[in-house]
Amino acid sequence: MVGFFLWVLQVLSVALCIQEESDFQWTQTDRGSFYYGKFPPTFMWGVGSSAYQTEGAWDMDGKGKSIWDVFTHKKGRVFMNQTGDSSCDGYYKVKDDLALLKELNVSHYRLSISWPRIIPTGVRAEYVNEKGIQYYNDLINVLLENRVVPVITLYHWDLPQNLQEKFCGWQNVSMVTYFNDYANLCFEKFGDRVKHWITFNSPWSVAVEGFETGEHAPGFKLSGTGAYKAAHNMIKAHSKVWHTYNKNWRNKHKGMVGISLTTEWGEPVDISNQKDIEAAERFVQFNFGWFANPLYNGDYPQIMKEYIGQKSAQQGLGVSRLPTFTSQEKSYIKGTCDFLGVGHFTTRYITNRNFPATQGPSYFTDRDLTELVDPKWPEPESKWLYSVPWGFRRLLNFVKTHYGNPMVFVTENGMSEKMHCAQLCDEWRIQYLKGYTNEMLKAMKDGVNVQGYTAWSLMDKFEWDEGFSERFGLYYVEFRNKNKPRYPKASVQFYKKLISANGFPNVREVEKWHRISTESCSTINQLLAADPLVSHMEMVTEIVVPTVCTLCILISAILLMILLRRQS
């Protein structure tokens, strides 16, 4: 009966979603006028995903366990105790998902390789899973056959569980060697066809959410130390892999190795207040500069070294909680990026706030700042992700100024919704895509060397500790259906038009895209809204009706017994 009532609630929520879509009003948050113009002819347009979030098949064909397999199987770690065990079943739906890429007409697809799928224990010398190698070989080949460039991430958070259990994962410097061995295997097996390699996706998240807050796998809360140590080892691992590629594979394969760093932009609350200006700078340096500065300038940002060093001393520690690089390591690490991947979703206002060292060690209090949002910003679909397009242009210009205007690929940018019902008319995502890509175009006018853009993401997928409650996809995935069908949202049509035009031709044309996009989703939305009714009819027939009948018989029997007792 509980399932029946949940079904009723789901059907009602679908109806409410259809009702509310027409009431949605978007408040423009752009600073300055919209810019109409074209991107360069060679500009790359793509979409992205990752292995654990989409593949499923968590224990199939020789794949080893990852830290996310173990983390999600523990109760209370993820929303509704959901897991990525099957997720989108992407492992079995390569042809289906290729059709989505072809419909979008993207030039590239960003995906990741599951380390434990090709090296189950994480140690290359122990065992290489040929079925895993074959899966990625086939995937890469089918992409290239259809003129889609594979952009491959080596580490999108799914560390082999064996390395976590034996060595404590990224807390141990031995990961540098194991990761390099894994990367070298990938270069050997796939490098003749893959020319764009990303070592790490958002190492900030791996470090802070995995080892400071414990929200992500492996779920450690090593406050004020764990994140810094993990980051230190990931930076070393990245540089080691870059040197391996540079020495052994670059001349042969002619590819590039970069990293993807994700950050919010930090804007001073009061631009006339020097302390707020410095706090906003610290916010970006503690997020983005933490990793970018060593790779481009040879060491951690000076402000990080100063603040963490001072707090450590005040806490009675003999040395800073922020590890240090030797002179040799600084030289080895500096310059190990052929391109810089920039992931960006939203912006925060920043104000200065002094946290006393007596509160104990913490990455967050080390920064001495507070994050705020503007109450005038539109209420987001997901509580954390406000659409603030102008922050994107500022971040890209920050990259240009601080790191010598490197080659940039936007590796993640998109908007999510938290909905329990089918919603294909994603007006907010269209506005987000339009605003953020336009600010990117303005940044390129400013001279920022952006070479490509990756919309995040191709389809709805498993969203880490949020499970399936948060949806980033251009395509809606019906997770309750065992076939995991994909349905295009309105944003698919808009993104297709943007890619086809390679920019924003004029007001009339862009408004036409918008109109066509929203019209196209209405019919599909209505059909999808009916799916829960159809898919639950069997449950009503086979479970609910017999249950109600049984209850009626029991109630009748009880009433009859009561009546007979009274008569006697």
Side-chain angles (χ1 to χ4, degrees):
M1 290 300 290
V2 173
F4 173 71
F5 290 118
L6 287 173
W7 165 69
V8 172
L9 288 172
Q10 288 166 353
V11 172
L12 287 172
S13 68
V14 169
L16 286 170
C17 282
I18 296 170
Q19 169 89 31
E20 288 173 0
E21 79 182 39
S22 59
D23 299 332
F24 183 86
Q25 296 294 324
W26 187 271
T27 304
Q28 286 289 340
T29 59
D30 293 81
R31 290 191 174 186
S33 59
F34 195 85
Y35 174 69
Y36 292 92
K38 293 266 191 174
F39 288 87
T42 56
F43 194 77
M44 295 175 65
W45 294 98
V47 287
S49 70
S50 81
Y52 182 77
Q53 291 179 283
T54 59
E55 283 181 2
W58 75 281
D59 60 349
M60 299 300 292
D61 292 340
K63 178 185 170 294
K65 287 183 181 179
S66 76
I67 55 173
W68 273 96
D69 293 323
V70 174
F71 185 79
T72 59
H73 291 174
K74 294 177 181 176
K75 300 297 182 186
R77 294 290 198 170
V78 176
F79 176 80
M80 297 285 287
N81 293 318
Q82 294 168 340
T83 75
D85 288 0
S86 60
S87 191
C88 306
D89 275 337
Y91 187 75
Y92 304 107
K93 298 176 79 70
V94 171
K95 290 183 179 179
D96 292 352
D97 294 339
L98 176 66
L100 308 184
L101 298 172
K102 292 176 72 174
E103 181 182 7
L104 285 166
N105 196 31
V106 292
S107 55
H108 72 273
Y109 179 43
R110 184 188 167 205
L111 64 146
S112 74
I113 290 175
S114 169
W115 186 348
R117 193 175 293 286
I118 66 171
I119 307 177
T121 66
V123 181
R124 180 180 180 177
E126 292 180 354
Y127 177 61
V128 173
N129 180 24
E130 291 301 329
K131 287 186 177 179
I133 297 291
Q134 189 61 50
Y135 168 71
Y136 290 112
N137 263 325
D138 292 344
L139 177 55
I140 290 164
N141 289 339
V142 77
L143 289 172
L144 290 170
E145 286 165 8
N146 288 274
R147 299 181 182 179
V148 178
V149 174
V151 176
I152 291 190
T153 304
L154 292 168
Y155 189 78
H156 203 127
W157 307 358
D158 46 353
L159 184 78
Q161 175 65 17
N162 179 62
L163 296 181
Q164 184 62 45
E165 291 177 358
K166 285 188 176 180
F167 305 103
C168 205
W170 291 109
Q171 292 297 294
N172 194 313
V173 72
S174 65
M175 291 304 102
V176 175
T177 299
Y178 293 124
F179 183 66
N180 185 64
D181 290 344
Y182 155 62
N184 201 37
L185 175 66
C186 292
F187 298 152
E188 176 188 324
K189 298 295 184 180
F190 316 123
D192 57 328
R193 289 150 292 154
V194 177
K195 308 304 176 185
H196 299 80
W197 294 98
I198 295 169
T199 53
F200 290 92
N201 177 77
S202 189
W204 182 94
S205 296
V206 177
V208 174
E209 293 172 318
F211 295 95
E212 175 83 17
T213 68
E215 297 170 272
H216 284 185
F220 288 4
K221 296 181 180 180
L222 308 174
S223 188
T225 59
Y228 297 134
K229 196 170 183 179
H232 200 67
N233 290 328
M234 283 188 282
I235 292 167
K236 288 182 177 181
H238 163 86
S239 61
K240 175 75 171 175
V241 167
W242 185 91
H243 281 286
T244 293
Y245 189 86
N246 195 53
K247 179 181 178 181
N248 301 328
W249 301 105
R250 188 181 300 278
N251 289 337
K252 183 177 181 180
H253 291 159
K254 312 295 183 185
M256 297 187 292
V257 176
I259 193 169
S260 176
L261 306 180
T262 302
T263 187
E264 299 160 338
W265 174 246
E267 184 77 4
V269 167
D270 183 355
I271 57 173
S272 65
N273 184 320
Q274 187 61 29
K275 287 190 174 181
D276 280 1
I277 294 171
E278 291 171 358
E281 171 79 11
R282 281 199 306 280
F283 175 80
V284 180
Q285 292 290 4
F286 265 77
N287 280 263
F288 197 83
W290 185 5
F291 299 92
N293 214 68
L295 301 182
Y296 283 92
N297 300 322
D299 200 1
Y300 292 121
Q302 186 62 29
I303 198 68
M304 283 189 75
K305 294 195 289 184
E306 289 176 3
Y307 268 67
I308 299 168
Q310 289 169 7
K311 296 266 186 180
S312 299
Q314 291 166 4
Q315 289 157 356
L317 300 175
V319 294
S320 174
R321 287 180 280 104
L322 180 68
T324 57
F325 295 113
T326 65
S327 297
Q328 186 178 0
E329 287 172 337
K330 290 176 185 178
S331 299
Y332 187 78
I333 291 166
K334 184 178 180 180
T336 55
C337 259
D338 300 321
F339 65 89
L340 181 58
V342 176
H344 175 70
F345 294 93
T346 189
T347 285
R348 291 291 184 267
Y349 276 114
I350 307 297
T351 187
N352 185 72
R353 180 184 176 184
N354 294 319
F355 289 93
T358 52
Q359 287 192 2
S362 165
Y363 162 81
F364 294 101
T365 57
D366 282 343
R367 305 177 304 169
D368 274 351
L369 57 86
T370 296
E371 302 175 37
L372 303 168
V373 297
D374 190 334
K376 295 178 183 178
W377 289 343
E379 185 69 18
E381 288 294 318
S382 295
K383 290 297 181 185
W384 66 277
L385 210 170
Y386 290 82
S387 180
V388 193
W390 52 262
F392 192 25
R393 181 182 183 183
R394 297 193 179 200
L395 173 61
L396 291 171
N397 273 280
F398 175 92
V399 170
K400 173 192 169 188
T401 302
H402 284 73
Y403 309 116
N405 200 19
M407 180 189 296
V408 168
F409 285 92
V410 176
T411 44
E412 283 186 316
N413 179 243
M415 175 164 256
S416 62
E417 68 263 20
K418 285 182 82 72
M419 288 188 171
H420 302 291
C421 56
Q423 176 56 291
L424 301 184
C425 294
D426 53 347
E427 166 73 12
W428 56 87
R429 187 172 284 107
I430 291 173
Q431 295 290 357
Y432 183 98
L433 279 169
K434 177 184 173 184
Y436 275 75
T437 53
N438 196 252
E439 290 298 315
M440 176 177 65
L441 183 58
K442 291 178 187 177
M444 292 170 70
K445 273 190 69 187
D446 299 336
V448 183
N449 185 19
V450 183
Q451 296 291 315
Y453 174 85
T454 307
W456 196 259
S457 56
L458 174 61
M459 69 187 82
D460 297 333
K461 57 199 182 308
F462 183 83
E463 290 298 337
W464 312 112
D465 58 313
E466 297 291 341
F468 298 106
S469 67
E470 194 165 9
R471 294 175 175 267
F472 273 91
L474 296 174
Y475 287 87
Y476 177 90
V477 178
E478 180 52 82
F479 294 109
R480 291 175 298 177
N481 186 318
K482 65 180 181 179
N483 295 319
K484 310 289 176 67
R486 286 83 154 121
Y487 301 93
K489 301 177 188 178
S491 51
V492 165
Q493 291 299 322
F494 185 86
Y495 194 39
K496 278 174 62 177
K497 297 290 185 184
L498 175 59
I499 292 171
S500 178
N502 198 35
F504 303 95
N506 53 63
V507 178
R508 181 177 296 179
E509 188 69 16
V510 174
E511 288 178 349
K512 181 181 176 182
W513 299 350
H514 195 164
R515 185 177 65 255
I516 292 172
S517 300
T518 52
E519 287 173 355
S520 69
C521 73
S522 298
T523 303
I524 303 174
N525 211 31
Q526 290 170 10
L527 290 171
L528 183 55
D531 272 0
L533 296 171
V534 175
S535 62
H536 284 83
M537 284 308 295
E538 289 184 6
M539 184 189 77
V540 173
T541 304
E542 298 175 8
I543 301 174
V544 177
V545 172
T547 302
V548 171
C549 290
T550 303
L551 286 172
C552 288
I553 292 168
L554 288 171
I555 291 168
S556 299
I558 292 168
L559 289 173
L560 181 60
M561 288 174 63
I562 293 171
L563 182 62
L564 290 172
R565 284 184 180 179
R566 284 183 178 178
Q567 288 179 348
S568 62

